[in-house]
Structure formats: structure tokens, C-alpha cells
């Protein structure tokens, strides 16, 4: 158990819909990362937050957005969903957000778009 | 854009055999991490290397960071079925986030 929690574990929805994925970081960690993992793309970095502020952006689509709240939990919002958005979405947390810090990954949310 | 290529993509071996997984890039990384991911779970950190030429050992696993900090290798001695999983390398560079390789899916058959 990494100490990072993600909900829901599974999500099935239809194209065009909007969903919200939730992540609670390990106690004491200030930085949260979101990743998308699909079979043909590997683990793709989406976005990072540090202490409530956006720190770095990766290959995140404009249809996707995220935020980190004062209690440090984070939400990833996916809208106008397409079939290609079906993937595992992981949240990770680290103490300070530096690239050499160990990232602790949650169990992931499996999103299926039908 | 920093890219990391891993090879081989898939590896299936018998218990007791040795293997090496490679992680290569044309970019220099300030640090290199190796993670292992099991089905249905998130990746778990195995090791972090930060110095060119650094070698770290974790029981039967040996990790090496290239002298130029552009590549890394993971060697497993006497593989066991419990070593089965997806091995991911991840580089830390000028960007604050990690760049992950595409992964090596290892299957160790009993």
C-alpha cells in the first residue's frame, strides 16, 4: 500500500460524457502527478501540482483539466470523452516535486469509454 | 522532448536464467529511476541512480547508470517467477516531471 488513494477504481461511461477522478496523496506529500497509461502509449505524464499550484504540464489534452485543493487532494476532470480516452489513469505523489524524488503511485482508475 | 527507449519490449525466460533490460536516450538525465508494475497496480520504485557510472544492487537486481547519464541497465540474476512484471525506467531532467520509458514486460516461467 503506497498510501496514495484513488477513486473510483473502475469507471464506465459513454462518449461525450464528463468524469472526475479523485486522488488523495500520501500524508505529508505536497506534490501530485497525473499519468495516463494505455497499451500503445505507455505511461504518459499529464500534469503536476505542488501545494495547490500547477507546476508542470505534459501531454494533457485541452478537454482535460485538474486541480489540487487546499487539503492537497487532487481531481482530474475529463470531458467530451472519446473512445481513445479509455486507459488507466494513475495519480502519484511525492514530497517536494523534484524529479529525483520517489513518486508513490496510487492503484489507478480504469476508465472505459463506450 | 526527452525520450527513453526500453529494450526488449517483451521478455519471457525460464526460472533461474539471467537477463538484462536496457533503457536508452539521446538526452542527458540528472537522475534515473526504475519502477516495477504488477497487473492492476501502480508502479513501485525499485531504485534511483543519480551519478554517471553508478551501480546499485538490490538483492538479485543490479542497476547501472551510464557514464554519460544517457542510458541505464537493469540486470536480474537467477530470475524467479516473482520477478514477473512490467519494468519501467524513468528519467529526471531539466523538466520537473519524470519521463517514462515504454516498459519491458518480463515473464519468468517456473
Amino acid at each position: 500500500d503506497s498510501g496514495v488513494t484513488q477513486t473510483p477504481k473502475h469507471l464506465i461511461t459513454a462518449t461525450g460524457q464528463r468524469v472526475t477522478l479523485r486522488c488523495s496523496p500520501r500524508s505529508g506529500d505536497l506534490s501530485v502527478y497525473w499519468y495516463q497509461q494505455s497499451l500503445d502509449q505507455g505511461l504518459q505524464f499529464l500534469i503536476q501540482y505542488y501545494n495547490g499550484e500547477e507546476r508542470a504540464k505534459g501531454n494533457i489534452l485541452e478537454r482535460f483539466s485538474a486541480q489540487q485543493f487546499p487539503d492537497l487532494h487532487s481531481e482530474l476532470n475529463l470531458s467530451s470523452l472519446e473512445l481513445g480516452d479509455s486507459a488507466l489513469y494513475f495519480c502519484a505523489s511525492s514530497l517536494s516535486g523534484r524529479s529525483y524524488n520517489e513518486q508513490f503511485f496510487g492503484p489507478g482508475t480504469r476508465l472505459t469509454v463506450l | 522532448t526527452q525520450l527513453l527507449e526500453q529494450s526488449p519490449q517483451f521478455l519471457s525466460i525460464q526460472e533461474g536464467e539471467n537477463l538484462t533490460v536496457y533503457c536508452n536516450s539521446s538526452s542527458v538525465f540528472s537522475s534515473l529511476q526504475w519502477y516495477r508494475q504488477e497487473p492492476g497496480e501502480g508502479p513501485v520504485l525499485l531504485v534511483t541512480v543519480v551519478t554517471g557510472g553508478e551501480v546499485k544492487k538490490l538483492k538479485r537486481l543490479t542497476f547501472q547508470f551510464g557514464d554519460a547519464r544517457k542510458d541505464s541497465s537493469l540486470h536480474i540474476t537467477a530470475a524467479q517467477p516473482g520477478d514477473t512484471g512490467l519494468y519501467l525506467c524513468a528519467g529526471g531532467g531539466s523538466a520537473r516531471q519524470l519521463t517514462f520509458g515504454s516498459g519491458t514486460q518480463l515473464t519468468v516461467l517456473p
Side-chain angles (χ1 to χ4, degrees), chain B residues 76-98:
Chain B
I76 301 179
T77 303
Q80 298 176 1
D83 295 327
T84 293
L86 178 67
Y87 288 82
L88 297 160
C89 64
S94 56
R96 292 190 176 92
Q97 71 272 18
L98 291 174

Side-chain angles (χ1 to χ4, degrees), chain A residues 13-19 63-64 78-83 85 89 111 113:
Chain A
T13 188
T15 54
Q17 295 298 305
R18 171 190 169 95
V19 297
R63 302 183 284 109
F64 296 0
L78 315 176
S79 61
S80 303
L81 285 168
E82 302 176 358
L83 295 177
D85 297 327
Y89 290 84
L111 173 66
V113 182

Side-chain angles (χ1 to χ4, degrees), chain A residues 84-95:
Chain A
D85 297 327
S86 294
L88 271 168
Y89 290 84
F90 286 103
C91 166
S93 73
S94 70
L95 180 61

Side-chain angles (χ1 to χ4, degrees), chain B residues 30-44:
Chain B
S30 57
S31 65
L32 201 294
Q33 298 179 344
W34 284 92
Y35 289 79
R36 184 171 77 195
Q37 184 179 14
E38 298 189 20
E41 299 180 9
V44 176

Side-chain angles (χ1 to χ4, degrees), chain B residues 9-78:
Chain B
Q9 189 176 359
F10 298 96
L11 188 55
S12 182
I13 61 171
Q14 293 293 133
E15 181 176 2
E17 292 183 355
N18 301 332
L19 67 113
T20 302
V21 175
Y22 299 94
C23 177
N24 295 293
S25 175
S26 58
S27 303
V28 174
F29 289 97
S30 57
S31 65
L32 201 294
Q33 298 179 344
W34 284 92
Y35 289 79
R36 184 171 77 195
Q37 184 179 14
E38 298 189 20
E41 299 180 9
V44 176
L45 181 69
L46 296 174
V47 77
T48 300
V49 285
V50 297
T51 305
E54 183 176 0
V55 177
K56 279 192 175 179
K57 292 191 176 184
L58 185 67
K59 296 183 180 178
R60 293 176 294 100
L61 279 59
T62 301
F63 304 86
Q64 184 162 8
F65 201 10
D67 290 341
R69 291 184 288 134
K70 292 182 179 181
D71 55 86
S72 181
S73 64
L74 158 59
H75 182 78
I76 301 179
T77 303

